[in-house]
Amino acid sequence: MKIKDLHINFNFKMLFVFAMFFWQATYSQDSIATYQEVEDYFALARTYKNQDKLDLSLESVYKALKKAEKLEDLKTIIDCYHELSLLYLKLNKIDQSIQLWQRADVLLKDSEYPYGSATHRYIDALHLMKEQKYYLANHELDKADKMTNVRNLTLHILLAKGFIYLELPKYTEAEKNFNSLIVNNDTNEKDYIASRAFLGLALLKSKTNEPEKGIEYALQGLDIAKKNNFFNEILELNSYLAATNEQLFKFEQALAFNKNLVQIKDSIYNETKVKTEAKKADNIYFETQKNTITNLTKENEQLKASSSRTEITAILTSAFLTIISLLAVSLYRNNQIKVKTNDLLQTKNNELEASRDAAVKAMEAKTNFLSTVSHELRTPLYAVTGLTHLLLEENPSESQQEHLKALKFSGDYLLSFINDILQLNKIDADKLEPVNTEFSLKKVLSEVISSLQQSAKENETKISLDYDENIPKSLLSDSMKISQILINLVGNGLKFTKKGDVTVITRLLRKSDDDVTIYFEVRDTGIGISDDQITNIFESFEQGSIQINREYGGTGLGLTIVKSLLGLFNSKIDLKSELGKGSSFFFELDMKSKSYTTEEEATAVIAPQDFDFKGLHILIVEDNKINQVITKKMLIKKEMTCEIASNGTDAVEMVSQTKYDAILMDIHMPGISGEEATILIRKFNKHTPIIALTAISLDDSLESFYAAGCNDVVTKPFKPEVFYQKIGEHVFNPKPLS
Ligand code: ADP
């Protein structure tokens, strides 16, 4: 048996695997010694067995079993059980032998051990032989033979088969088997097998009526048995020789062998031997049974533990699987919901995009429509207001004067309405952005006030400026828009205040480095606004009441424009008002301060100037015939002379030929625009004031007019006072172009 060919049954002894590795690695020297010990016990047991010292043999195998169990070496344990089974069989204790064989059977089921399985079948065959079931036994031996090529076992199988053939009877096969065994080369049991083979041959020869030959074989066998102390064989061969000699009437020889027999059987040795053997056999059987029970209990516990582990694993696995499936289901459902929601969102998104596009288109259409309509309305309106103004100046009759005043009022109303709409339209279409230019706030405020002095006079109201001198002289912001905001607010103040005061207040709230915050307030002592009205006052077309509208006029757009313009500066307007006492509108603006460069300090309040226009020679650049007539008449009215250019190219030509005191430049003309004409003129003429007269449309930029070289811009249709004021300013108080 190959003890070194040891394997650990991983399946069966899982728990001990780690321990074994550790143990083998640490104590490899000890482990080799231990395996050697086991092998020694086996060799000893074999010798004792063949000498029929079965108690000692049992003891050795039992010791080997103990070692094997310590080593957790399943194959060696199986070998031990097989050896024990064989020993009990020899002791004729068949039941014990079978039980030990069955124990090995259990262990074999958990291992892959061909030699063990072959031995197992071999022992089974021996049991069957005891029951005289020779065919079955032979069959088992055939199977065992196929399973192994371990020489010792193959020889024992041959031997057993030989004895079976004796019984079947198949003498030829029997003889063949025994003959092949009498000379064998087994390492450990050469002599034992040979003596058994001689015994077999001897028996065979008796059966084939060749007793002399039988005696020959028996004597050869006895010789070997005696040399090796094969007690059982000595007995068997002696009894064979006694009987066979008797058959051959060789009574002397028969007597001699019989004497030998009696001597052996009656010897003390034999008596004690039988007793000790029986006792030892019982003890060892008891021990192995106990051992088996302990092992079975251990295995049972392990199985229990592993089954409970398996149960826990099963529970955990099923819980895990349940969770996973739930997760999968919920993920799937979530996904479904997501897909549905996505589809829904996509549809909604498409709808929203479509409606947004439609809204943008509608907005663009509205903006363009308003722009076109208001622009188209302004040209004829220019004729209406201009001609009304001229007619009023031409000493109309009393009744005519009344009608003309009504006409002028309507024209002015329509004019401001259209201007307001256009302004709001421009803000809504995001066409307006604050443009930073350097300016003096004090000057801007003075100009606002001065432009409104006429209305103040009409209402017998005084406008005053409460200006904080700490405000930096030069600021950076959009002065045009600031003017517009204040014109609207001061205009409202004047409109709703009769014989009272309108004050424009400014305060420097904060200044750090270049950043300044300025507080603006327009306060009046007018009719005031009720709490109800205050809430909606900044909405489009919102007016205090029908009565107010009837009495004071207006479009309801002024404050909306103020709010929108302040929105461009990220600022908000607020108000305080008390009915009958007055109102106050206030807001804050952030600006940048500049080191002061402005040429002159503005006077606090500028009164409208009366200029003497007589003899001024003006060039009117205008493509519309009616407008040409009106503008011409307005100039003639103030005793000015003029020439007319119907397009930009003519205008450039004329300016290069003639000296004019001022040029009134229309912007939108066929051919080159007023802006382009201005640029061309400025190439050779830097001093003649050019005032752009334009019905500003959506895409026009005041900045670009100034950049082209215009000195000022008057939006058409203009109020005649504003028109004259601008001409006077630029002709009599010229300023260098920026
Ligand atoms: P409108 O051009 O009609 O004046 P606004 O938007 O400028 O339109 O003003 C809306 C309304 O707010 C006015 O009709 C008026 O009732 C009220 N309002 C505005 N400013 C004043 C003020 N300074 N004093 C009294 N009421 C005012």
Side-chain angles (χ1 to χ4, degrees), residues 46 151-152 155 184-191 193:
R46 207 180 306 116
R151 193 196 299 142
N152 180 266
L155 298 178
N184 71 78
N185 55 356
D186 189 69
T187 335
N188 301 315
E189 292 184 299
K190 186 179 167 223
D191 286 352
I193 291 167

Side-chain angles (χ1 to χ4, degrees), residues 610-651:
D610 285 330
F611 296 106
D612 182 10
F613 295 105
K614 196 176 172 185
L616 291 183
H617 190 54
I618 311 286
L619 174 67
I620 302 169
V621 188
E622 170 69 71
D623 63 314
N624 185 294
K625 297 285 173 221
I626 300 171
N627 288 356
Q628 286 175 5
V629 174
I630 295 161
T631 312
K632 189 176 177 181
K633 285 224 166 192
M634 286 176 78
L635 294 176
I636 291 168
K637 185 93 211 132
K638 294 282 178 188
E639 297 179 64
M640 289 179 257
T641 54
C642 63
E643 280 176 46
I644 294 171
S646 295
N647 58 60
T649 321
D650 288 356

Side-chain angles (χ1 to χ4, degrees), residues 574-672:
D574 209 346
L575 82 147
K576 268 190 255 167
S577 186
E578 209 177 318
L579 217 50
K581 291 205 167 166
S583 316
S584 154
F585 290 80
F586 47 91
F587 59 91
E588 290 174 19
L589 282 181
D590 291 328
M591 304 179 198
K592 294 266 179 207
S593 71
K594 281 276 277 177
S595 51
Y596 184 65
T597 54
T598 320
E599 59 292 345
E600 85 225 49
E601 186 87 13
T603 45
V605 177
I606 307 163
Q609 276 178 280
D610 285 330
F611 296 106
D612 182 10
F613 295 105
K614 196 176 172 185
L616 291 183
H617 190 54
I618 311 286
L619 174 67
I620 302 169
V621 188
E622 170 69 71
D623 63 314
N624 185 294
K625 297 285 173 221
I626 300 171
N627 288 356
Q628 286 175 5
V629 174
I630 295 161
T631 312
K632 189 176 177 181
K633 285 224 166 192
M634 286 176 78
L635 294 176
I636 291 168
K637 185 93 211 132
K638 294 282 178 188
E639 297 179 64
M640 289 179 257
T641 54
C642 63
E643 280 176 46
I644 294 171
S646 295
N647 58 60
T649 321
D650 288 356
V652 179
E653 177 66 26
M654 288 163 81
V655 175
S656 66
Q657 304 291 323
T658 318
K659 183 185 173 301
Y660 300 102
D661 293 308
I663 303 162
L664 301 175
M665 180 74 78
D666 185 28
I667 296 293
H668 296 280
M669 288 181 293
I672 61 165

Side-chain angles (χ1 to χ4, degrees), residues 204-219:
L204 174 73
K205 291 299 163 188
S206 290
K207 291 194 186 231
T208 54
N209 285 324
E210 298 165 279
E212 286 85 1
K213 282 200 172 175
I215 289 171
E216 265 178 47
Y217 284 130
L219 285 171

Side-chain angles (χ1 to χ4, degrees), residues 306-483:
S306 90
S307 87
S308 71
R309 263 202 315 277
T310 318
E311 264 170 42
I312 292 169
T313 318
I315 291 167
L316 285 178
T317 313
S318 55
F320 180 70
L321 284 175
T322 317
I323 291 167
I324 289 282
S325 357
L326 284 175
L327 268 176
V329 169
S330 79
L331 274 176
Y332 175 74
R333 291 188 63 180
N334 267 357
N335 203 37
Q336 291 292 97
I337 293 168
K338 235 188 210 168
V339 168
K340 270 189 196 162
T341 320
N342 271 353
D343 286 351
L344 210 71
L345 281 175
Q346 190 60 48
T347 324
K348 283 278 161 219
N349 201 31
N350 291 345
E351 284 172 16
L352 283 174
E353 269 178 11
S355 41
R356 185 204 59 198
D357 291 348
V360 168
K361 267 190 190 159
M363 185 74 184
E364 275 171 9
K366 185 202 91 176
T367 311
N368 289 333
F369 170 78
L370 283 176
S371 173
T372 316
V373 167
S374 52
H375 192 258
E376 289 309 309
L377 280 175
R378 277 207 277 185
T379 315
L381 204 55
Y382 181 52
V384 174
T385 49
L387 290 173
T388 312
H389 179 78
L390 291 173
L391 285 172
L392 271 170
E393 300 277 301
E394 284 172 9
N395 293 328
S397 70
E398 197 80 6
S399 62
Q400 278 174 331
Q401 208 169 5
E402 207 179 306
H403 290 154
L404 285 172
K405 272 189 181 165
L407 193 62
K408 185 176 187 295
F409 178 81
S410 300
D412 284 348
Y413 169 78
L414 213 53
L415 186 65
S416 62
F417 183 67
I418 287 168
N419 279 338
D420 284 354
I421 293 230
L422 200 73
Q423 177 87 38
L424 266 181
N425 202 29
K426 231 177 159 179
I427 298 172
D428 285 350
D430 285 335
K431 295 277 180 183
L432 276 188
E433 264 186 32
V435 187
N436 282 336
T437 47
E438 196 182 336
F439 69 100
S440 152
L441 183 62
K442 194 170 184 181
K443 192 166 165 242
V444 166
L445 294 176
S446 305
E447 280 170 0
V448 168
I449 291 169
S450 104
S451 71
L452 291 167
Q453 284 295 2
Q454 194 64 38
S455 322
K457 248 193 231 170
E458 283 164 19
N459 273 356
E460 294 173 51
T461 297
K462 198 175 142 238
I463 318 176
S464 48
L465 176 63
D466 178 354
Y467 187 78
D468 184 350
E469 293 299 338
N470 293 320
I471 294 170
K473 302 253 178 319
S474 183
L475 294 164
L476 211 60
S477 185
D478 193 328
S479 61
M480 288 286 285
K481 292 192 179 65
I482 297 172
S483 303

